Amino acid sequence: MLPDQQFLRIPGPTPIPPSVQRAMNQPMIGHRDQETKELLHSISPKLKSVFGTNQNVLMLAGSGTAGLEAAVLNAVHPGDDVLVIVTGAFGDRFAQICTEHDIATHRYDVEWGEAVNPGSIEEYLKKHPHIKAVFATLCETSTGVLNPVKELARLIRQHSDTLFIVDGVSGVGGADVKMDEWGIDVLITGSQKAMMLPPGLTFAAVSERAWKVMEANTRPSFYFDLTKYRDQLENDATPFTPALSLLYGLKHVTELIEQEGLQEVFSRHRQMMNMIRAAFKAHDIPLLTSDEAASPTVTAMKPDDFDPDTLRKVLKNEFKLTVAGGQKHLKGHIFRIGHMGYCSQADILQTISMIEVGLRTIGKPVELGKGISAAQETILTGGS
């Protein structure tokens, strides 16, 4: 085992392209100098296509959770009624943020591993017309569920003026999302997932109708006042010191996405999802989510005849392969594989091979190569 070799297959942080790492090694510049203005000017329009919006995409120094809290602080007042759709740990985080800021938080809990039924949310809003905002998660990282955000947005629009605010942290850049076309009011993501960067940047795009609500919000906020970021970005600037090295990397990330083609990026992520799912089905290892609810960026397995944490330990010790465990009540019951960003079909074949050896090592009698063969078939057929 080579000491510097690491195989990172968790749903964030994700591996960084070497060319992006090199881009981030450029000398530091003044954050108010012309070079920074030019950097922001080159990045801003390229982010719009990734978000599926004509709005400027705001860039804040902070983790994805910073973006979630900024959305809450700007879009709703203390005492407002909001609905938070909770399909896992990160839907729960949205609810916690709302509660911390004295917002009247209605939770709609869905069994972990399942996607929300849009019709149930439609009925809930009919019964609670005073709801000011609905919060949802595009990809629930803790379970590998991709929620039907497009359909949710459509139903919310049909029946109310409620704002629709979406956590896209482990989805944007790996899953196709069309913020403007679908009717999403606020869409947030972070740098360390499908955007192929280290942690430290959060991104937020805001609709025109949401800006009107935010401009009328008198809640005091300094760093998280999104109108400051909007106004400064119009002048190719940020209100506070930006994460300059990450911006250099981001510029190169947008170029890589352009070179591959956005639809090809989404297709690659779906292909990796199909490979993972086919491999574990071949070994009769249960998947946490259905095919219909599966995310293209992370897949969760819920084995019934071996300890997932024992497998994770063996993979780490033997191969330096890191896969994620479960969160909260799923801790010790599932393991998760991240397949987003700087990750390809070749990486997934390698990952499956190591996992098969790991399974044999812990005593599960799998047929070596069976999962790889199933994954290879999905490449050749272009399907699942």
Side-chain angles (χ1 to χ4, degrees):
M1 184 166 56
L2 302 176
D4 292 338
Q5 198 169 48
Q6 298 281 347
F7 301 97
L8 191 61
R9 293 289 168 257
I10 61 174
T14 60
I16 311 301
S19 58
V20 172
Q21 290 180 321
R22 292 192 295 271
M24 291 188 293
N25 286 335
Q26 295 184 57
M28 192 53 57
I29 56 176
H31 70 291
R32 298 299 178 212
D33 289 350
Q34 183 62 28
E35 292 93 335
T36 299
K37 287 183 174 293
E38 292 172 359
L39 183 60
L40 288 167
H41 186 78
S42 67
I43 293 169
S44 187
K46 295 179 180 179
L47 286 175
K48 292 180 180 182
S49 61
V50 179
F51 278 68
T53 184
N54 289 318
Q55 300 292 326
N56 281 330
V57 178
L58 312 179
M59 293 163 269
L60 291 70
S63 70
T65 302
L68 305 185
E69 185 163 26
V72 171
L73 285 170
N74 285 264
V76 292
H77 294 79
D80 282 352
D81 285 85
V82 303
L83 174 63
V84 182
I85 301 169
V86 180
T87 55
F90 292 93
D92 182 67
R93 180 171 296 183
F94 241 154
Q96 291 181 55
I97 293 170
C98 290
T99 302
E100 286 285 334
H101 290 290
D102 299 319
I103 294 162
T105 305
H106 302 245
R107 292 175 61 111
Y108 190 92
D109 284 280
V110 178
E111 184 175 348
W112 288 28
E114 295 182 3
V116 65
N117 176 5
S120 62
I121 301 304
E122 180 182 20
E123 291 302 314
Y124 195 97
L125 291 176
K126 287 179 180 178
K127 295 176 182 177
H128 300 84
H130 52 291
I131 296 290
K132 296 292 181 66
V134 175
F135 294 86
T137 310
L138 175 62
C139 170
E140 177 49 68
T141 317
S142 65
T143 63
V145 160
L146 190 75
N147 279 305
V149 165
K150 178 181 179 180
E151 184 66 10
L152 283 170
R154 184 183 67 81
L155 292 175
I156 290 168
R157 274 297 161 273
Q158 282 182 353
H159 299 287
S160 71
D161 293 324
T162 302
L163 292 182
F164 187 38
I165 300 169
V166 175
D167 166 4
V169 172
S170 64
V172 172
D176 194 2
V177 58
K178 296 179 173 62
M179 176 179 161
D180 293 353
E181 181 181 321
W182 295 356
I184 298 170
D185 289 298
V186 184
L187 180 61
I188 304 113
T189 196
S191 56
Q192 77 276 19
K193 305 281 188 174
M195 296 301 290
M196 300 187 290
L197 287 164
L201 278 178
T202 188
F203 308 91
V206 181
S207 71
E208 289 295 337
R209 64 195 300 274
W211 278 128
K212 292 177 181 177
V213 173
M214 292 182 183
E215 288 165 354
N217 193 340
T218 57
R219 179 208 294 269
S221 178
F222 188 75
Y223 188 79
F224 287 135
D225 183 351
L226 292 181
T227 63
K228 293 178 181 177
Y229 290 87
R230 176 197 62 185
D231 296 344
Q232 287 293 317
L233 190 57
E234 290 176 357
N235 297 313
D236 297 321
T238 57
F240 311 107
T241 305
L244 286 165
S245 296
L246 290 174
L247 291 181
Y248 273 127
L250 177 61
K251 180 178 184 294
H252 192 66
V253 164
T254 60
E255 293 167 353
L256 291 177
I257 291 173
E258 278 191 343
Q259 290 169 16
E260 185 176 359
L262 194 56
Q263 292 307 314
E264 286 71 21
V265 170
F266 299 147
S267 177
R268 171 167 52 84
H269 282 80
R270 290 192 299 271
Q271 179 69 73
M272 292 188 292
M273 173 194 74
N274 290 335
M275 292 172 69
I276 291 285
R277 296 183 70 82
F280 285 96
K281 286 178 182 179
H283 287 303
D284 295 320
I285 296 174
L287 298 156
L288 182 62
T289 66
S290 67
D291 290 346
E292 293 74 21
S295 165
T297 59
V298 55
T299 299
M301 277 59 63
K302 190 177 182 182
D304 52 16
D305 58 356
F306 66 87
D307 177 22
D309 287 343
T310 299
L311 173 64
R312 292 174 58 229
K313 185 176 180 180
V314 167
L315 295 174
K316 182 72 171 179
N317 291 340
E318 294 297 323
F319 298 114
K320 290 290 187 75
L321 170 63
T322 305
V323 299
Q327 295 177 288
K328 300 199 174 184
H329 67 274
L330 290 179
K331 186 176 179 64
H333 297 284
I334 68 170
F335 65 100
R336 296 172 294 144
I337 299 173
H339 38 86
M340 69 181 93
Y342 186 59
C343 188
S344 71
Q345 293 92 331
D347 294 312
I348 298 305
L349 290 174
Q350 182 185 49
T351 299
I352 294 168
S353 177
M354 288 187 281
I355 289 174
E356 287 184 338
V357 175
L359 288 167
R360 285 278 284 267
T361 300
I362 66 172
K364 181 170 175 59
V366 298
E367 179 184 337
L368 296 179
K370 189 174 183 179
I372 295 173
S373 178
Q376 289 171 328
E377 287 293 336
T378 72
I379 297 174
L380 294 173
T381 61
S384 58

